[in-house]
Amino acid sequence: MTPDINEVHLNILLLGRPQSGKSATGNILLGSYEFESRLSLGSVTQSCELCQGRFSSFFRRNGREATLCVNILDTPAFPHSYLKASEVKNDIHEALLEKFQRGLDAVVLVLRADVAFSEEDFKCIQLELLDFEWRNYFYIIFTHHDRFEENGLKLEEQLSNAPRALKVLLESAKNRYHFVNSVAPWLHAEGRPVLEKLLSLSQQNKYKSLKFKPSASSLQHTG
Ligand SMILES: Nc1nc2c(ncn2[C@@H]2O[C@H](COP(=O)(O)OP(=O)(O)OP(=O)(O)O)[C@@H](O)[C@H]2O)c(=O)[nH]1
Ligand SMILES: [Mg+2]
């Protein structure tokens, strides 16, 4: 919760496998090209990076217009093409401590919609940084929605035929997910519905953040 009743701050952590579209997703949430996002045979993002966005009159609260401020932490992939698992983990750990002292409002797993799901996709959130409470903050973003559409695939059909491991993952996110085209020309138009859902997630959590506990190397719920 922020001191100013008409300003809500969301700390958003992006996690995912290499080239899943984490940085591109960060860009659509911000509505600008802040994070380096490009096609590569190896992981592009080498260390955590924080970018901020501020959207005035984003929503109404208590009968007044309110501002949404987002702090987005883009992270190196896990598994990473060049870094060891321990290096990725330490980098995210330190970034959470330094940049998200207040805690986290959304843990976003970025998955490609056009690539078959593998249980490996789930491993990036098993970095031992997250306590069981993270599930209340968990959100899944499927990128490459455009590829999905190009191939005439219907979302509902695909999801009902999804592999069991993906269904379990969606259940653990309490079916909170969104499909995006992270390279849409109108970044903000694509990002706004996701921001609305992440804001609603934070509202469901009564604006209480998931606090990072440095000593315990875990995240816990805090008031
Ligand atoms: N068509 C399409 N391409 C996308 C989408 N999202 C990401 N891409 C492309 O996928 C490639 C990788 O995107 P990044 O944003 O760099 O992915 P990343 O997960 O940050 O990658 P690493 O930092 O290497 O782990 C880029 O060429 C993006 O343009 C999408 O929704 N649709
Ligand atoms: Mg990246």
PDB file of all heavy atoms in Angstrom, residues 38-70:
ATOM      1  N   ARG A  38      15.430  -9.198 -28.118  1.00  0.00           N
ATOM      2  CA  ARG A  38      15.763  -9.576 -29.497  1.00  0.00           C
ATOM      3  C   ARG A  38      15.916 -11.084 -29.610  1.00  0.00           C
ATOM      4  O   ARG A  38      16.144 -11.786 -28.618  1.00  0.00           O
ATOM      5  CB  ARG A  38      17.033  -8.875 -29.968  1.00  0.00           C
ATOM      6  CG  ARG A  38      18.254  -9.206 -29.186  1.00  0.00           C
ATOM      7  CD  ARG A  38      19.486  -8.455 -29.704  1.00  0.00           C
ATOM      8  NE  ARG A  38      20.527  -8.444 -28.709  1.00  0.00           N
ATOM      9  CZ  ARG A  38      21.396  -9.422 -28.522  1.00  0.00           C
ATOM     10  NH1 ARG A  38      21.357 -10.492 -29.288  1.00  0.00           N
ATOM     11  NH2 ARG A  38      22.309  -9.341 -27.569  1.00  0.00           N
ATOM     12  N   LEU A  39      15.799 -11.514 -30.867  1.00  0.00           N
ATOM     13  CA  LEU A  39      15.965 -12.925 -31.182  1.00  0.00           C
ATOM     14  C   LEU A  39      17.428 -13.295 -31.025  1.00  0.00           C
ATOM     15  O   LEU A  39      18.314 -12.550 -31.461  1.00  0.00           O
ATOM     16  CB  LEU A  39      15.512 -13.137 -32.629  1.00  0.00           C
ATOM     17  CG  LEU A  39      15.303 -14.554 -33.113  1.00  0.00           C
ATOM     18  CD1 LEU A  39      14.194 -15.238 -32.323  1.00  0.00           C
ATOM     19  CD2 LEU A  39      14.940 -14.536 -34.592  1.00  0.00           C
ATOM     20  N   SER A  40      17.690 -14.414 -30.403  1.00  0.00           N
ATOM     21  CA  SER A  40      19.073 -14.821 -30.223  1.00  0.00           C
ATOM     22  C   SER A  40      19.142 -16.322 -29.992  1.00  0.00           C
ATOM     23  O   SER A  40      18.194 -16.925 -29.479  1.00  0.00           O
ATOM     24  CB  SER A  40      19.664 -14.078 -29.016  1.00  0.00           C
ATOM     25  OG  SER A  40      20.906 -14.617 -28.674  1.00  0.00           O
ATOM     26  N   LEU A  41      20.277 -16.901 -30.353  1.00  0.00           N
ATOM     27  CA  LEU A  41      20.464 -18.335 -30.093  1.00  0.00           C
ATOM     28  C   LEU A  41      20.772 -18.581 -28.620  1.00  0.00           C
ATOM     29  O   LEU A  41      20.665 -19.697 -28.132  1.00  0.00           O
ATOM     30  CB  LEU A  41      21.598 -18.897 -30.960  1.00  0.00           C
ATOM     31  CG  LEU A  41      21.285 -19.034 -32.443  1.00  0.00           C
ATOM     32  CD1 LEU A  41      22.515 -19.472 -33.207  1.00  0.00           C
ATOM     33  CD2 LEU A  41      20.157 -20.038 -32.660  1.00  0.00           C
ATOM     34  N   GLY A  42      21.198 -17.518 -27.942  1.00  0.00           N
ATOM     35  CA  GLY A  42      21.500 -17.639 -26.510  1.00  0.00           C
ATOM     36  C   GLY A  42      20.717 -16.600 -25.731  1.00  0.00           C
ATOM     37  O   GLY A  42      20.077 -15.721 -26.311  1.00  0.00           O
ATOM     38  N   SER A  43      20.786 -16.689 -24.404  1.00  0.00           N
ATOM     39  CA  SER A  43      20.046 -15.738 -23.553  1.00  0.00           C
ATOM     40  C   SER A  43      20.549 -14.314 -23.783  1.00  0.00           C
ATOM     41  O   SER A  43      21.757 -14.080 -23.806  1.00  0.00           O
ATOM     42  CB  SER A  43      20.262 -16.087 -22.083  1.00  0.00           C
ATOM     43  OG  SER A  43      19.985 -17.433 -21.852  1.00  0.00           O
ATOM     44  N   VAL A  44      19.646 -13.374 -23.938  1.00  0.00           N
ATOM     45  CA  VAL A  44      20.005 -11.969 -24.180  1.00  0.00           C
ATOM     46  C   VAL A  44      20.214 -11.223 -22.851  1.00  0.00           C
ATOM     47  O   VAL A  44      21.226 -10.569 -22.638  1.00  0.00           O
ATOM     48  CB  VAL A  44      18.915 -11.262 -25.022  1.00  0.00           C
ATOM     49  CG1 VAL A  44      19.178  -9.762 -25.121  1.00  0.00           C
ATOM     50  CG2 VAL A  44      18.840 -11.888 -26.406  1.00  0.00           C
ATOM     51  N   THR A  45      19.259 -11.331 -21.951  1.00  0.00           N
ATOM     52  CA  THR A  45      19.346 -10.598 -20.675  1.00  0.00           C
ATOM     53  C   THR A  45      20.347 -11.299 -19.750  1.00  0.00           C
ATOM     54  O   THR A  45      20.182 -12.482 -19.429  1.00  0.00           O
ATOM     55  CB  THR A  45      17.951 -10.510 -20.020  1.00  0.00           C
ATOM     56  OG1 THR A  45      17.064  -9.898 -20.964  1.00  0.00           O
ATOM     57  CG2 THR A  45      17.980  -9.693 -18.740  1.00  0.00           C
ATOM     58  N   GLN A  46      21.367 -10.541 -19.355  1.00  0.00           N
ATOM     59  CA  GLN A  46      22.452 -11.136 -18.560  1.00  0.00           C
ATOM     60  C   GLN A  46      22.335 -10.832 -17.073  1.00  0.00           C
ATOM     61  O   GLN A  46      22.963 -11.500 -16.259  1.00  0.00           O
ATOM     62  CB  GLN A  46      23.824 -10.628 -19.052  1.00  0.00           C
ATOM     63  CG  GLN A  46      24.066 -10.819 -20.537  1.00  0.00           C
ATOM     64  CD  GLN A  46      24.088 -12.298 -20.937  1.00  0.00           C
ATOM     65  OE1 GLN A  46      24.604 -13.135 -20.222  1.00  0.00           O
ATOM     66  NE2 GLN A  46      23.481 -12.608 -22.079  1.00  0.00           N
ATOM     67  N   SER A  47      21.575  -9.793 -16.746  1.00  0.00           N
ATOM     68  CA  SER A  47      21.402  -9.483 -15.323  1.00  0.00           C
ATOM     69  C   SER A  47      20.083  -8.738 -15.136  1.00  0.00           C
ATOM     70  O   SER A  47      19.501  -8.236 -16.108  1.00  0.00           O
ATOM     71  CB  SER A  47      22.568  -8.630 -14.815  1.00  0.00           C
ATOM     72  OG  SER A  47      22.605  -7.429 -15.518  1.00  0.00           O
ATOM     73  N   CYS A  48      19.644  -8.669 -13.882  1.00  0.00           N
ATOM     74  CA  CYS A  48      18.347  -8.044 -13.607  1.00  0.00           C
ATOM     75  C   CYS A  48      18.372  -6.560 -13.957  1.00  0.00           C
ATOM     76  O   CYS A  48      19.382  -5.890 -13.759  1.00  0.00           O
ATOM     77  CB  CYS A  48      18.004  -8.183 -12.128  1.00  0.00           C
ATOM     78  SG  CYS A  48      17.585  -9.864 -11.666  1.00  0.00           S
ATOM     79  N   GLU A  49      17.253  -6.086 -14.434  1.00  0.00           N
ATOM     80  CA  GLU A  49      17.146  -4.664 -14.762  1.00  0.00           C
ATOM     81  C   GLU A  49      15.761  -4.170 -14.337  1.00  0.00           C
ATOM     82  O   GLU A  49      14.752  -4.840 -14.590  1.00  0.00           O
ATOM     83  CB  GLU A  49      17.329  -4.459 -16.265  1.00  0.00           C
ATOM     84  CG  GLU A  49      17.473  -3.006 -16.629  1.00  0.00           C
ATOM     85  CD  GLU A  49      17.589  -2.784 -18.138  1.00  0.00           C
ATOM     86  OE1 GLU A  49      17.803  -3.744 -18.893  1.00  0.00           O
ATOM     87  OE2 GLU A  49      17.428  -1.634 -18.551  1.00  0.00           O
ATOM     88  N   LEU A  50      15.756  -3.007 -13.695  1.00  0.00           N
ATOM     89  CA  LEU A  50      14.492  -2.426 -13.245  1.00  0.00           C
ATOM     90  C   LEU A  50      14.104  -1.252 -14.133  1.00  0.00           C
ATOM     91  O   LEU A  50      14.939  -0.390 -14.418  1.00  0.00           O
ATOM     92  CB  LEU A  50      14.639  -1.929 -11.803  1.00  0.00           C
ATOM     93  CG  LEU A  50      13.370  -1.364 -11.186  1.00  0.00           C
ATOM     94  CD1 LEU A  50      12.437  -2.487 -10.737  1.00  0.00           C
ATOM     95  CD2 LEU A  50      13.698  -0.467  -9.998  1.00  0.00           C
ATOM     96  N   CYS A  51      12.857  -1.230 -14.575  1.00  0.00           N
ATOM     97  CA  CYS A  51      12.350  -0.056 -15.301  1.00  0.00           C
ATOM     98  C   CYS A  51      11.003   0.322 -14.699  1.00  0.00           C
ATOM     99  O   CYS A  51      10.260  -0.541 -14.225  1.00  0.00           O
ATOM    100  CB  CYS A  51      12.183  -0.345 -16.782  1.00  0.00           C
ATOM    101  SG  CYS A  51      13.742  -0.338 -17.651  1.00  0.00           S
ATOM    102  N   GLN A  52      10.735   1.617 -14.721  1.00  0.00           N
ATOM    103  CA  GLN A  52       9.518   2.109 -14.078  1.00  0.00           C
ATOM    104  C   GLN A  52       8.588   2.797 -15.068  1.00  0.00           C
ATOM    105  O   GLN A  52       9.053   3.432 -16.013  1.00  0.00           O
ATOM    106  CB  GLN A  52       9.904   3.090 -12.972  1.00  0.00           C
ATOM    107  CG  GLN A  52      10.758   2.395 -11.923  1.00  0.00           C
ATOM    108  CD  GLN A  52      11.318   3.343 -10.895  1.00  0.00           C
ATOM    109  OE1 GLN A  52      11.835   4.389 -11.244  1.00  0.00           O
ATOM    110  NE2 GLN A  52      11.229   2.956  -9.641  1.00  0.00           N
ATOM    111  N   GLY A  53       7.318   2.661 -14.802  1.00  0.00           N
ATOM    112  CA  GLY A  53       6.314   3.335 -15.621  1.00  0.00           C
ATOM    113  C   GLY A  53       5.288   3.989 -14.715  1.00  0.00           C
ATOM    114  O   GLY A  53       5.025   3.510 -13.617  1.00  0.00           O
ATOM    115  N   ARG A  54       4.749   5.084 -15.192  1.00  0.00           N
ATOM    116  CA  ARG A  54       3.767   5.818 -14.377  1.00  0.00           C
ATOM    117  C   ARG A  54       2.583   6.182 -15.270  1.00  0.00           C
ATOM    118  O   ARG A  54       2.763   6.798 -16.323  1.00  0.00           O
ATOM    119  CB  ARG A  54       4.469   7.084 -13.861  1.00  0.00           C
ATOM    120  CG  ARG A  54       3.653   7.874 -12.893  1.00  0.00           C
ATOM    121  CD  ARG A  54       4.435   9.126 -12.473  1.00  0.00           C
ATOM    122  NE  ARG A  54       3.544   9.994 -11.749  1.00  0.00           N
ATOM    123  CZ  ARG A  54       3.330   9.887 -10.443  1.00  0.00           C
ATOM    124  NH1 ARG A  54       4.004   9.016  -9.738  1.00  0.00           N
ATOM    125  NH2 ARG A  54       2.466  10.667  -9.846  1.00  0.00           N
ATOM    126  N   PHE A  55       1.412   5.747 -14.877  1.00  0.00           N
ATOM    127  CA  PHE A  55       0.219   5.968 -15.696  1.00  0.00           C
ATOM    128  C   PHE A  55      -0.802   6.753 -14.881  1.00  0.00           C
ATOM    129  O   PHE A  55      -1.456   6.187 -13.987  1.00  0.00           O
ATOM    130  CB  PHE A  55      -0.367   4.634 -16.157  1.00  0.00           C
ATOM    131  CG  PHE A  55       0.644   3.757 -16.855  1.00  0.00           C
ATOM    132  CD1 PHE A  55       1.290   2.732 -16.170  1.00  0.00           C
ATOM    133  CD2 PHE A  55       0.991   3.983 -18.180  1.00  0.00           C
ATOM    134  CE1 PHE A  55       2.245   1.942 -16.794  1.00  0.00           C
ATOM    135  CE2 PHE A  55       1.946   3.201 -18.815  1.00  0.00           C
ATOM    136  CZ  PHE A  55       2.584   2.179 -18.120  1.00  0.00           C
ATOM    137  N   SER A  56      -0.895   8.029 -15.183  1.00  0.00           N
ATOM    138  CA  SER A  56      -1.854   8.814 -14.406  1.00  0.00           C
ATOM    139  C   SER A  56      -3.262   8.551 -14.922  1.00  0.00           C
ATOM    140  O   SER A  56      -3.460   8.158 -16.075  1.00  0.00           O
ATOM    141  CB  SER A  56      -1.505  10.303 -14.437  1.00  0.00           C
ATOM    142  OG  SER A  56      -1.052  10.651 -15.676  1.00  0.00           O
ATOM    143  N   SER A  57      -4.234   8.743 -14.046  1.00  0.00           N
ATOM    144  CA  SER A  57      -5.651   8.488 -14.341  1.00  0.00           C
ATOM    145  C   SER A  57      -5.858   7.096 -14.927  1.00  0.00           C
ATOM    146  O   SER A  57      -6.668   6.917 -15.835  1.00  0.00           O
ATOM    147  CB  SER A  57      -6.187   9.534 -15.327  1.00  0.00           C
ATOM    148  OG  SER A  57      -5.984  10.817 -14.808  1.00  0.00           O
ATOM    149  N   PHE A  58      -5.126   6.126 -14.421  1.00  0.00           N
ATOM    150  CA  PHE A  58      -5.232   4.753 -14.951  1.00  0.00           C
ATOM    151  C   PHE A  58      -6.540   4.101 -14.508  1.00  0.00           C
ATOM    152  O   PHE A  58      -7.126   3.312 -15.224  1.00  0.00           O
ATOM    153  CB  PHE A  58      -4.041   3.914 -14.467  1.00  0.00           C
ATOM    154  CG  PHE A  58      -3.982   2.549 -15.093  1.00  0.00           C
ATOM    155  CD1 PHE A  58      -3.358   2.371 -16.322  1.00  0.00           C
ATOM    156  CD2 PHE A  58      -4.560   1.440 -14.477  1.00  0.00           C
ATOM    157  CE1 PHE A  58      -3.303   1.116 -16.915  1.00  0.00           C
ATOM    158  CE2 PHE A  58      -4.514   0.191 -15.052  1.00  0.00           C
ATOM    159  CZ  PHE A  58      -3.882   0.024 -16.277  1.00  0.00           C
ATOM    160  N   PHE A  59      -6.960   4.436 -13.302  1.00  0.00           N
ATOM    161  CA  PHE A  59      -8.211   3.855 -12.784  1.00  0.00           C
ATOM    162  C   PHE A  59      -8.820   4.799 -11.757  1.00  0.00           C
ATOM    163  O   PHE A  59      -8.224   5.820 -11.424  1.00  0.00           O
ATOM    164  CB  PHE A  59      -7.947   2.471 -12.182  1.00  0.00           C
ATOM    165  CG  PHE A  59      -7.102   2.458 -10.937  1.00  0.00           C
ATOM    166  CD1 PHE A  59      -7.622   1.999  -9.735  1.00  0.00           C
ATOM    167  CD2 PHE A  59      -5.780   2.891 -10.956  1.00  0.00           C
ATOM    168  CE1 PHE A  59      -6.845   1.963  -8.589  1.00  0.00           C
ATOM    169  CE2 PHE A  59      -4.992   2.859  -9.814  1.00  0.00           C
ATOM    170  CZ  PHE A  59      -5.524   2.398  -8.624  1.00  0.00           C
ATOM    171  N   ARG A  60     -10.021   4.435 -11.306  1.00  0.00           N
ATOM    172  CA  ARG A  60     -10.672   5.269 -10.295  1.00  0.00           C
ATOM    173  C   ARG A  60     -10.661   4.541  -8.963  1.00  0.00           C
ATOM    174  O   ARG A  60     -10.839   3.333  -8.898  1.00  0.00           O
ATOM    175  CB  ARG A  60     -12.104   5.593 -10.711  1.00  0.00           C
ATOM    176  CG  ARG A  60     -12.147   6.570 -11.868  1.00  0.00           C
ATOM    177  CD  ARG A  60     -13.564   7.024 -12.159  1.00  0.00           C
ATOM    178  NE  ARG A  60     -14.101   7.939 -11.168  1.00  0.00           N
ATOM    179  CZ  ARG A  60     -13.806   9.235 -11.100  1.00  0.00           C
ATOM    180  NH1 ARG A  60     -12.980   9.772 -11.979  1.00  0.00           N
ATOM    181  NH2 ARG A  60     -14.353   9.994 -10.163  1.00  0.00           N
ATOM    182  N   ARG A  61     -10.409   5.298  -7.952  1.00  0.00           N
ATOM    183  CA  ARG A  61     -10.346   4.710  -6.616  1.00  0.00           C
ATOM    184  C   ARG A  61     -10.954   5.707  -5.636  1.00  0.00           C
ATOM    185  O   ARG A  61     -10.607   6.882  -5.673  1.00  0.00           O
ATOM    186  CB  ARG A  61      -8.865   4.480  -6.272  1.00  0.00           C
ATOM    187  CG  ARG A  61      -8.675   3.602  -5.089  1.00  0.00           C
ATOM    188  CD  ARG A  61      -7.194   3.361  -4.919  1.00  0.00           C
ATOM    189  NE  ARG A  61      -6.991   2.523  -3.767  1.00  0.00           N
ATOM    190  CZ  ARG A  61      -5.938   2.563  -3.010  1.00  0.00           C
ATOM    191  NH1 ARG A  61      -4.952   3.382  -3.286  1.00  0.00           N
ATOM    192  NH2 ARG A  61      -5.831   1.775  -1.981  1.00  0.00           N
ATOM    193  N   ASN A  62     -11.853   5.216  -4.807  1.00  0.00           N
ATOM    194  CA  ASN A  62     -12.540   6.079  -3.852  1.00  0.00           C
ATOM    195  C   ASN A  62     -13.142   7.305  -4.540  1.00  0.00           C
ATOM    196  O   ASN A  62     -13.055   8.428  -4.043  1.00  0.00           O
ATOM    197  CB  ASN A  62     -11.595   6.527  -2.732  1.00  0.00           C
ATOM    198  CG  ASN A  62     -11.056   5.342  -1.960  1.00  0.00           C
ATOM    199  OD1 ASN A  62     -11.749   4.338  -1.819  1.00  0.00           O
ATOM    200  ND2 ASN A  62      -9.831   5.438  -1.491  1.00  0.00           N
ATOM    201  N   GLY A  63     -13.694   7.068  -5.738  1.00  0.00           N
ATOM    202  CA  GLY A  63     -14.373   8.146  -6.445  1.00  0.00           C
ATOM    203  C   GLY A  63     -13.451   9.164  -7.083  1.00  0.00           C
ATOM    204  O   GLY A  63     -13.904  10.190  -7.598  1.00  0.00           O
ATOM    205  N   ARG A  64     -12.154   8.892  -7.066  1.00  0.00           N
ATOM    206  CA  ARG A  64     -11.199   9.837  -7.680  1.00  0.00           C
ATOM    207  C   ARG A  64     -10.287   9.107  -8.658  1.00  0.00           C
ATOM    208  O   ARG A  64     -10.112   7.899  -8.569  1.00  0.00           O
ATOM    209  CB  ARG A  64     -10.316  10.462  -6.582  1.00  0.00           C
ATOM    210  CG  ARG A  64     -11.068  11.399  -5.665  1.00  0.00           C
ATOM    211  CD  ARG A  64     -10.249  11.704  -4.434  1.00  0.00           C
ATOM    212  NE  ARG A  64      -8.952  12.303  -4.756  1.00  0.00           N
ATOM    213  CZ  ARG A  64      -7.908  12.303  -3.933  1.00  0.00           C
ATOM    214  NH1 ARG A  64      -7.974  11.739  -2.761  1.00  0.00           N
ATOM    215  NH2 ARG A  64      -6.764  12.867  -4.291  1.00  0.00           N
ATOM    216  N   GLU A  65      -9.700   9.875  -9.570  1.00  0.00           N
ATOM    217  CA  GLU A  65      -8.770   9.268 -10.516  1.00  0.00           C
ATOM    218  C   GLU A  65      -7.494   8.891  -9.782  1.00  0.00           C
ATOM    219  O   GLU A  65      -7.012   9.644  -8.933  1.00  0.00           O
ATOM    220  CB  GLU A  65      -8.462  10.243 -11.642  1.00  0.00           C
ATOM    221  CG  GLU A  65      -9.686  10.487 -12.496  1.00  0.00           C
ATOM    222  CD  GLU A  65      -9.388  11.139 -13.820  1.00  0.00           C
ATOM    223  OE1 GLU A  65      -8.333  11.770 -13.928  1.00  0.00           O
ATOM    224  OE2 GLU A  65     -10.218  11.007 -14.727  1.00  0.00           O
ATOM    225  N   ALA A  66      -6.968   7.712 -10.119  1.00  0.00           N
ATOM    226  CA  ALA A  66      -5.765   7.249  -9.424  1.00  0.00           C
ATOM    227  C   ALA A  66      -4.659   6.927 -10.419  1.00  0.00           C
ATOM    228  O   ALA A  66      -4.912   6.595 -11.578  1.00  0.00           O
ATOM    229  CB  ALA A  66      -6.097   6.029  -8.589  1.00  0.00           C
ATOM    230  N   THR A  67      -3.427   7.033  -9.926  1.00  0.00           N
ATOM    231  CA  THR A  67      -2.240   6.791 -10.760  1.00  0.00           C
ATOM    232  C   THR A  67      -1.691   5.396 -10.464  1.00  0.00           C
ATOM    233  O   THR A  67      -1.627   4.984  -9.310  1.00  0.00           O
ATOM    234  CB  THR A  67      -1.157   7.844 -10.421  1.00  0.00           C
ATOM    235  OG1 THR A  67      -1.677   9.121 -10.742  1.00  0.00           O
ATOM    236  CG2 THR A  67       0.122   7.612 -11.207  1.00  0.00           C
ATOM    237  N   LEU A  68      -1.309   4.707 -11.534  1.00  0.00           N
ATOM    238  CA  LEU A  68      -0.663   3.407 -11.368  1.00  0.00           C
ATOM    239  C   LEU A  68       0.827   3.564 -11.673  1.00  0.00           C
ATOM    240  O   LEU A  68       1.200   4.041 -12.746  1.00  0.00           O
ATOM    241  CB  LEU A  68      -1.288   2.372 -12.317  1.00  0.00           C
ATOM    242  CG  LEU A  68      -0.645   0.989 -12.275  1.00  0.00           C
ATOM    243  CD1 LEU A  68      -0.894   0.297 -10.933  1.00  0.00           C
ATOM    244  CD2 LEU A  68      -1.157   0.098 -13.404  1.00  0.00           C
ATOM    245  N   CYS A  69       1.670   3.171 -10.704  1.00  0.00           N
ATOM    246  CA  CYS A  69       3.122   3.200 -10.912  1.00  0.00           C
ATOM    247  C   CYS A  69       3.613   1.758 -10.940  1.00  0.00           C
ATOM    248  O   CYS A  69       3.320   1.006  -9.991  1.00  0.00           O
ATOM    249  CB  CYS A  69       3.831   3.937  -9.781  1.00  0.00           C
ATOM    250  SG  CYS A  69       3.264   5.614  -9.596  1.00  0.00           S
ATOM    251  N   VAL A  70       4.304   1.385 -12.000  1.00  0.00           N
ATOM    252  CA  VAL A  70       4.802   0.005 -12.062  1.00  0.00           C
ATOM    253  C   VAL A  70       6.319  -0.010 -12.041  1.00  0.00           C
ATOM    254  O   VAL A  70       6.981   0.803 -12.692  1.00  0.00           O
ATOM    255  CB  VAL A  70       4.287  -0.763 -13.309  1.00  0.00           C
ATOM    256  CG1 VAL A  70       2.816  -1.072 -13.176  1.00  0.00           C
ATOM    257  CG2 VAL A  70       4.576  -0.037 -14.597  1.00  0.00           C
TER     258      VAL A  70
END
